[in-house]
Amino acid sequence: MNNARRFVSSALTIAEMEARKIRHDSTELWMRGVQPALWLLIFGEVFNALRGLAPGGYTYIQYIAPGVLAQSVLFIAIFYGITIVWERDVGLLTKLLSTPSPRLSVVVGKALAAGVRGVFQGIMIFALALIIGVQLRFDPLDIAGVFVVVILFAMCFAAFSMTLASLLKTRDRMMGIGQAITIPLFFASNAIYPISLMPYWLQVASRFNPLTYVVDAMRSMLLTGDYSGLPVDILALLLSTFFFIACASTVLKRLIE
Amino acid sequence: MRSLTKIYSDGNKAVDDISFNVHEGEIFGLLGPNGAGKTTTIKMITTLAKPTSGQISVFGVDALRAPQETRRMFGFVPQAISVDGDLTGYENLLIFAKLFFVDRDERKNRILDALEYFGLADKGDVLVKNYSGGMMRRLEIAQALVNRPKILFLDEPSIGLDPYSKKQVVEQVQELNKEFGTTILITTHDMAEADALCDRLSIMNGGKIAITGAPSDLKRSVGGDVLTVKTSGHAISGMPPGLGSVVSSEPGTVKVLVEDGDTAIPRVTDYFERAGATVESVSLSRPTLDDVFMKYAQGGLDEGSFREARSTRRSIARYGR
Ligand SMILES: Nc1ncnc2c1ncn2[C@@H]1O[C@H](COP(=O)(O)OP(=O)(O)OP(=O)(O)O)[C@@H](O)[C@H]1O
Ligand SMILES: [Mg+2]
């Protein structure tokens, strides 16, 4: 086997490990579906009454559906660092790193695993949207596109979170930082309101927020069908994903030393 | 495996400029008190921790330059149990077989063999969190074997095992060594186990290696087998050199230092009787690896005490003659 194939095979194996765990016990997966459901059902329904909040003549619940999806993937991914710290604590990470698999493939594999979980979130939210009758463009290609974005996005933030975990090293600190990061990221994005409604400084901040690009990409595929912003969105997302994966695989070693 | 020197420090020097060779095909023990640096040493060899300085070479491969290639030759059983509780036993082995790039068509057989070998064949489809501690340990060792390692690192493999399972693990390790010629590096706090298993061993203390040698040589270095002979009648105060040497001679009790206690008993008895003494009882006390450990693991061994130990032995020998 050549190096590239080994790399891919290792990364897929690590993702497979996660998939098998989900198959054995999917309780967590369902619990993770509760929060986005609440956002859609309560927040969405309440604000639905306010006409004009969402641009382009969409209902508010239509508008935030992609945002809620992005947010729930973000939550999963950002707490991936905690998982990896836990795996370090019980010796699993040491064990993984004692195999000949390259470290980069361990990071990519773990990030992919976050992507797998993200896809399940997507399926749940789509199902919910269908049930409560949220009008989205359920075009197969668009859905596929959304899943690609979900996977990339989950990988991006899982890698970011693993980078943080390698530097912070304890579960408690990761819990703290997770909370401290997700909420501002969420509010400084176009997930639940348009950027045009933000004060100027926040508009600037939102430009540097990967979540903004993700939500924009999802919204264009699920709602507007206007793909003009898509290349920029995908490029921004790809760049940050590569960047954080590179970061994580450089510092991951620190976690076991 | 060739010469290997390394200094490691992260604030404190956990491993301080040690060197040792492990020969191909042998079982090598690394003993030492808690915190001696055994785990740290293993981590460095398995490329999990980077040495501050020094070289590690494994079958001619530089472990620091080609860590991935080196790791392919390794099986590693860490000190703490680290099989994945959320997967089944079979899956634990499957994932590792894949991560070690075991050929697809060989995977299944190897996994089933390994499970069978460690008595887990009927537990393969059970989630590991429902295993007992000892079963997890055995799975852990099985996992380290799916890639048919050239060198197996066992960091206290018998920790938390009942005497029966312990014996099983020891036997399996021995069998592995004999059957596949696997080189084994093991750390343990169980001296009897180390004595039974190891061809050679090192005792570490405070990050340094205090002494290296075969268990029998080490035991001899803290004093040979001593026969305590209870006699009546004619007193014996000397012995022919080939037989042993008298360490102390009091009325009725003679202590004799001999090479090999078991074979010496009849010969010494014979000698005593012919010299006109009546032997009432002979008891044999052998130094154990515990004695060796106590000697080298306490307070660190400096040159002085080593020389002192040797000279005491020599004077015992001279005294006898
Ligand atoms: N990650 C670490 N960071 C800092 N110091 C460490 C680290 N790991 C170990 N040490 C220190 O290095 C020394 C050697 O530890 P090591 O775990 O190698 O001992 P050991 O011989 O395996 O002991 P035991 O028999 O208890 O397993 C100890 O003083 C320990 O405190
Ligand atoms: Mg240890």
Side-chain angles (χ1 to χ4, degrees):
Chain A
M1 258 200 282
N2 62 27
N3 286 344
R5 273 189 55 194
R6 278 198 190 151
F7 177 86
V8 173
S9 138
S10 304
L12 287 179
T13 304
I14 286 166
E16 175 192 343
M17 201 170 160
E18 191 81 2
R20 284 178 182 270
K21 285 186 199 177
I22 296 174
R23 207 178 62 189
H24 290 306
D25 182 5
S26 54
T27 334
E28 193 205 331
L29 215 60
W30 293 110
M31 308 242 288
R32 292 272 190 192
V34 172
Q35 206 182 25
L38 291 178
W39 273 101
L40 277 185
L41 290 173
I42 299 174
F43 204 75
E45 292 290 353
V46 167
F47 282 84
N48 230 7
L50 283 170
R51 297 276 152 206
L53 186 58
Y58 297 108
T59 65
Y60 187 66
I61 200 162
Q62 268 179 312
Y63 182 77
I64 67 163
V68 167
L69 171 57
Q71 175 241 30
S72 74
V73 173
L74 170 70
F75 274 34
I76 286 180
I78 207 82
F79 285 101
Y80 232 76
I82 298 178
T83 316
I84 204 125
V85 172
W86 176 79
E87 291 191 345
R88 189 271 318 264
D89 290 344
V90 299
L92 282 173
L93 185 65
T94 312
K95 205 62 170 301
L96 281 183
L97 294 182
S98 76
T99 69
S101 302
R103 262 139 223 199
L104 182 62
S105 75
V106 174
V107 170
V108 173
K110 290 280 171 202
L112 262 179
V116 171
R117 285 182 184 271
V119 168
F120 278 104
Q121 290 284 303
I123 294 172
M124 273 192 287
I125 290 171
F126 286 143
L128 192 70
L130 275 178
I131 293 167
I132 60 177
V134 183
Q135 301 261 308
L136 298 174
R137 290 157 40 96
F138 285 108
D139 177 84
L141 269 182
D142 284 323
I143 298 290
V146 169
F147 280 134
V148 169
V149 170
V150 162
I151 291 172
L152 271 180
F153 179 50
M155 289 180 77
C156 175
F157 272 83
F160 171 60
S161 177
M162 283 188 270
T163 309
L164 282 180
S166 307
L167 302 176
L168 297 175
K169 296 185 178 185
T170 72
R171 260 180 283 177
D172 293 342
R173 292 187 206 149
M174 278 309 290
M175 288 290 242
I177 204 95
Q179 308 277 10
I181 286 176
T182 43
I183 300 301
L185 275 180
F186 184 41
F187 286 113
S189 79
N190 53 354
I192 49 172
Y193 34 70
I195 290 181
S196 56
L197 290 185
M198 294 178 186
Y200 180 69
W201 64 269
L202 198 56
Q203 292 194 7
V204 174
S206 74
R207 285 282 150 224
F208 294 96
N209 183 353
L211 190 60
T212 302
Y213 297 92
V214 168
V215 174
D216 193 63
M218 288 180 176
R219 210 165 263 151
S220 67
M221 288 186 275
L222 290 176
L223 226 54
T224 62
D226 167 15
Y227 301 140
S228 57
L230 209 51
V232 174
D233 295 336
I234 302 282
L235 190 68
L237 185 54
L238 271 175
L239 284 180
S240 13
T241 308
F242 284 133
F243 175 71
F244 286 125
I245 283 180
C247 286
S249 54
T250 326
V251 293
L252 188 69
K253 271 199 303 268
R254 295 201 192 179
L255 205 51
I256 59 161
E257 278 189 354
Chain B
M1 189 185 273
R2 271 208 322 260
S3 124
L4 153 175
T5 318
K6 54 215 182 304
I7 310 171
Y8 169 80
S9 88
D10 51 36
N12 66 340
K13 265 188 188 163
V15 171
D16 187 4
D17 192 13
I18 63 167
S19 304
F20 61 87
N21 299 307
V22 176
H23 305 309
E24 187 169 350
E26 79 174 344
I27 303 185
F28 189 90
L30 211 48
L31 312 186
N34 295 132
K38 305 179 296 291
T39 301
T40 309
T41 303
I42 290 194
K43 274 191 165 178
M44 285 191 289
I45 305 175
T46 51
T47 74
L48 288 168
K50 212 181 157 97
T52 319
S53 67
Q55 295 112 39
I56 302 165
S57 152
V58 185
F59 289 116
V61 180
D62 187 331
L64 300 176
R65 290 245 178 77
Q68 284 171 30
E69 197 188 329
T70 317
R71 289 201 295 264
R72 286 198 77 174
M73 299 189 272
F74 291 161
F76 172 46
V77 178
Q79 187 165 356
I81 287 178
S82 60
V83 278
D84 199 324
D86 296 329
L87 294 173
T88 67
Y90 184 91
E91 286 171 334
N92 263 284
L93 300 199
L94 178 69
I95 297 288
F96 270 74
K98 287 188 176 181
L99 291 179
F100 272 99
F101 312 116
V102 175
D103 280 344
R104 175 188 292 270
D105 29 319
E106 251 187 90
R107 249 182 243 151
K108 193 170 172 153
N109 280 336
R110 280 209 198 170
I111 295 169
L112 294 179
D113 282 353
L115 287 174
E116 178 88 41
Y117 194 67
F118 285 92
L120 295 167
D122 54 335
K123 299 282 182 189
D125 293 328
V126 177
L127 282 185
V128 170
K129 60 180 160 205
N130 301 327
Y131 279 28
S132 78
M135 285 157 65
M136 288 185 195
R137 265 278 132 177
R138 298 212 298 267
L139 183 69
E140 183 109 48
I141 303 176
Q143 192 179 43
L145 294 178
V146 284
N147 64 320
R148 299 275 150 87
K150 284 190 181 166
I151 308 175
L152 180 62
F153 295 88
L154 298 165
D155 200 350
E156 298 184 31
S158 57
I159 209 166
L161 292 182
D162 65 58
Y164 175 72
S165 311
K166 226 181 211 178
K167 190 160 161 277
Q168 248 185 337
V169 165
V170 167
E171 278 167 8
Q172 273 148 351
V173 167
Q174 257 165 341
E175 204 178 307
L176 209 74
N177 174 257
K178 294 245 159 57
E179 223 169 282
F180 301 100
T182 314
T183 308
I184 292 166
L185 199 154
I186 186 172
T187 79
T188 178
H189 288 297
D190 185 329
M191 294 302 135
E193 184 178 291
D195 201 358
L197 269 177
C198 300
D199 297 315
R200 291 191 310 135
L201 53 86
S202 278
I203 294 182
M204 281 189 84
N205 195 12
K208 292 186 194 291
I209 289 188
I211 192 164
T212 304
S216 54
D217 291 339
L218 294 181
K219 284 187 289 190
R220 216 168 295 132
S221 80
V222 293
D225 294 3
V226 174
L227 296 180
T228 307
V229 189
K230 294 233 161 81
T231 63
S232 57
H234 186 70
I236 303 281
S237 58
M239 302 216 79
L243 202 52
S245 49
V246 174
V247 184
S248 70
S249 173
E250 283 157 30
T253 310
V254 182
K255 291 197 174 197
V256 186
L257 178 72
V258 295
E259 273 286 290
D260 176 33
D262 292 323
T263 58
I265 290 177
R267 291 193 288 139
V268 169
T269 315
D270 204 41
Y271 174 79
F272 269 61
E273 303 256 293
R274 267 194 275 131
T278 315
V279 175
E280 281 166 3
S281 71
V282 181
S283 65
L284 167 63
S285 77
R286 252 188 246 270
T288 60
L289 220 43
D290 280 298
D291 300 327
V292 180
F293 185 85
M294 288 308 183
K295 175 167 172 182
Y296 292 109
Q298 260 169 15
L301 177 94
D302 46 61
E303 281 288 28
S305 61
F306 186 65
R307 228 177 284 120
E308 189 189 309
R310 302 259 311 248
S311 67
T312 337
R313 243 197 94 211
R314 235 177 278 126
S315 72
I316 291 176
R318 227 177 293 121
Y319 184 94
R321 270 164 222 169

